[in-house]
Amino acid sequence: MARGHCVCRAMPTKPLNVATDKLGIIAGSGDLPREVIDTLKASKRDFFVVAFEGETDTATVNAAPHAWFHLGKIGKAMKRLEQEAANKIVMVGRVGRPAVSALHMDYSAVRLLAKLKKLRAQGDDAIFSAIIQFLEEHKFSVVGVDEVLPELVMPKGILGKVKPDAVAENDMKIGTRVAKEIGLLDIGQAVIIQRGQILGVEGAEGTDRL
């Protein structure tokens, strides 16, 4: 349980009404939480950030409405989101997996951990789905970052001056097929292909090490 994981893969369940809904951001580490916050501020959308001690980058939330929580205080974090009337939640950034003994969990965290322990052998997708279900049981709606900020999603088509040749096109077809298969098996999200050969598949080591 030492390897970090990303919380940015939560799938949207209900659309966000940016005119009336205040957005709660559960922020891990990395650049994505900062991008989301900066974009929301620029568009004058109402939001509140839950930051985790030892996980969230301080510079990410310093100039945003936020509160800090220990990773084991899930109940307190949810209570604060309720007080802020932030009933729509987006989860972005990386969050590590600390030792259970270091969490000092409240009752809500204990309940969530009990659910997650049963899913340890099923992979990250099952874990993320359980977290989303847990939040929705507490009357929150979890939305995907692509739904909140579609401008952050990579557009289709060729983005630069170089067009892929036939070899690269074939590699992409193979890679897409392999990536879908390992995704269905909850192995990973990335694959490296060169001239029809699979050079690497993301596994327990994570995307960066791949």
Side-chain angles (χ1 to χ4, degrees):
M1 298 286 284
R3 182 171 64 89
H5 64 80
C6 177
V7 297
C8 64
R9 283 169 35 181
M11 295 303 294
T13 55
K14 296 179 182 178
L16 174 72
N17 186 332
V18 295
T20 59
D21 293 341
K22 186 174 184 177
L23 184 65
I25 302 172
I26 298 179
S29 63
D31 295 331
L32 187 56
R34 188 176 302 113
E35 289 184 47
V36 171
I37 290 170
D38 289 345
T39 305
L40 288 171
K41 289 169 65 176
S43 60
K44 302 188 184 303
R45 300 186 196 178
D46 202 9
F47 67 94
F48 185 82
V49 184
V50 167
F52 292 115
E53 298 170 8
E55 299 287 345
T56 311
D57 300 325
T58 303
T60 296
V61 298
N62 267 347
H66 70 279
W68 287 95
F69 298 91
H70 191 279
L71 197 55
K73 305 302 182 183
I74 304 299
K76 286 187 176 180
M78 291 192 299
K79 184 66 175 178
R80 182 59 185 271
L81 287 170
E82 290 176 358
Q83 292 172 348
E84 295 288 336
N87 296 318
K88 295 286 178 70
I89 294 176
V90 62
M91 300 187 291
V92 287
R94 295 184 301 274
V95 175
R97 297 179 180 177
V100 173
S101 59
L103 284 178
H104 308 294
M105 296 180 289
D106 59 20
Y107 177 68
S108 293
V110 171
R111 285 187 57 219
L112 178 58
L113 182 63
K115 290 176 178 285
L116 300 184
K117 276 189 172 182
K118 297 177 182 178
L119 301 170
R120 281 184 300 183
Q122 296 186 33
D124 283 349
D125 275 345
I127 291 174
F128 293 146
S129 295
I131 293 173
I132 292 171
Q133 182 182 12
F134 182 81
L135 290 169
E136 290 183 338
E137 288 173 356
H138 289 80
K139 310 304 180 186
F140 294 104
S141 295
V142 181
V143 298
V145 67
D146 58 321
E147 185 177 357
V148 178
L149 300 173
E151 58 267 36
L152 293 183
V153 178
M154 190 68 70
K156 292 182 179 180
I158 299 171
L159 305 180
K161 295 180 180 180
V162 180
K163 182 178 180 179
D165 59 18
V167 174
E169 290 279 3
N170 186 59
D171 284 349
M172 286 189 284
K173 289 179 181 178
I174 296 172
T176 299
R177 186 169 69 248
V178 174
K180 286 181 178 179
E181 290 296 327
I182 65 173
L184 289 172
L185 295 172
D186 204 11
I187 295 172
Q189 304 176 80
V191 60
I192 299 173
I193 309 289
Q194 185 180 41
R195 295 189 176 276
Q197 291 186 320
I198 301 173
L199 301 184
V201 173
E202 180 188 7
E205 80 283 357
T207 309
D208 289 345
R209 290 188 178 273
L210 167 68

